Amino acid sequence: MAKTSASSLRGGLADLLNRVSYNHERVAIERHGKTVAVLVPAEDAALLDELEDRLDLEAARAALKERGNIAWSDLKAKLKLG
């Protein structure tokens, strides 16, 4: 993975975006020697979102198994939603 400093990012952003977009590179952005963010291709970000959604769904299914179903009216009352 390529690295760049936050301060040098300003002047080279267009070049970095081209590298990320067209060459599918990932670029770590560092501040004081620590990685604070990463530029990734849009496809990688979409994949990450999909993985997060799958993990959320698995967690929700596990919670339902553990706690069972709850009626919408009971949930509304419990959360004082009216």
Side-chain angles (χ1 to χ4, degrees), residues 5-18:
S5 67
S7 59
S8 65
L9 179 65
R10 291 182 197 108
L13 183 58
D15 177 55
L16 288 176
L17 288 175
N18 285 335

Side-chain angles (χ1 to χ4, degrees), residues 11-68:
L13 183 58
D15 177 55
L16 288 176
L17 288 175
N18 285 335
R19 289 171 52 188
V20 169
S21 178
Y22 298 115
N23 298 336
H24 304 285
E25 288 184 49
R26 296 177 183 141
V27 180
I29 302 165
E30 296 182 338
R31 182 180 291 153
H32 306 293
K34 287 182 139 183
T35 299
V36 295
V38 179
L39 290 175
V40 298
E43 297 87 6
D44 289 7
L47 179 59
L48 181 59
D49 284 341
E50 185 178 327
L51 289 171
E52 288 176 339
D53 289 346
R54 286 184 187 186
L55 290 173
D56 289 344
L57 182 57
E58 286 176 16
R61 286 181 175 155
L64 280 174
K65 272 187 178 180
E66 184 178 307
R67 297 182 190 127

